Amino acid sequence: MLIRKVGAFLHATFHTQIVAHNTKMKIRTKILILFLTLNFLSCKGIAQETETETKKPTPEFDFSGMEKSSFPKPIGIINDYGQIFTESQRTELSKILYDYDIETTRQ
């Protein structure tokens, strides 16, 4: 008799744990489905917004009228076409850049 009562108690306890586990799984499944649905709908909305708001970018500078040969050819390590530097500044900058080139390259 005692064995039946213990067996019935264990069966009831085990059954309760299974029901509780199944309930937790159902809740987790519902939360997961809700999360995935909301995620999908938000992505779809963003994709639709970007399609309607896509505009062709306007260039800041229009180089279409310039020929490729209109750019001046490089003179040396410093190309000061605007004559911004003085001759002594160009010489000093050339020396610094030449020394840097020698120190950083392996040949």
Side-chain angles (χ1 to χ4, degrees):
M1 187 71 155
L2 181 64
I3 294 175
R4 281 190 176 171
K5 286 183 181 180
V6 171
F9 175 75
L10 290 176
H11 178 71
T13 305
F14 184 69
H15 180 69
T16 305
Q17 289 176 351
I18 290 175
V19 170
H21 180 72
N22 287 342
T23 305
K24 287 180 184 178
M25 290 300 292
K26 287 180 182 177
I27 291 172
R28 288 180 184 167
T29 304
K30 288 179 182 179
I31 291 172
L32 179 63
I33 290 171
L34 177 66
F35 173 74
L36 292 174
T37 303
L38 291 175
N39 193 12
F40 174 74
L41 292 175
S42 67
C43 292
K44 188 176 180 182
I46 291 171
Q48 288 176 350
E49 288 175 12
T50 55
E51 288 176 10
T52 57
E53 295 178 5
T54 303
K55 297 178 182 175
K56 186 175 181 181
T58 56
E60 198 169 320
F61 301 104
D62 185 22
F63 295 108
S64 61
M66 297 181 79
E67 296 179 21
K68 288 185 180 180
S69 63
S70 66
F71 289 107
K73 293 183 179 180
I75 300 170
I77 197 165
I78 297 174
N79 300 305
D80 185 22
Y81 301 112
Q83 302 298 321
I84 296 173
F85 297 114
T86 63
E87 186 61 37
S88 63
Q89 289 173 328
R90 277 195 300 268
T91 305
E92 184 179 349
L93 185 57
S94 294
K95 182 181 180 316
I96 292 170
L97 292 174
Y98 179 75
D99 291 342
Y100 177 79
D101 187 46
I102 294 296
E103 290 176 8
T104 59
T105 56
R106 294 181 179 177
Q107 295 183 3

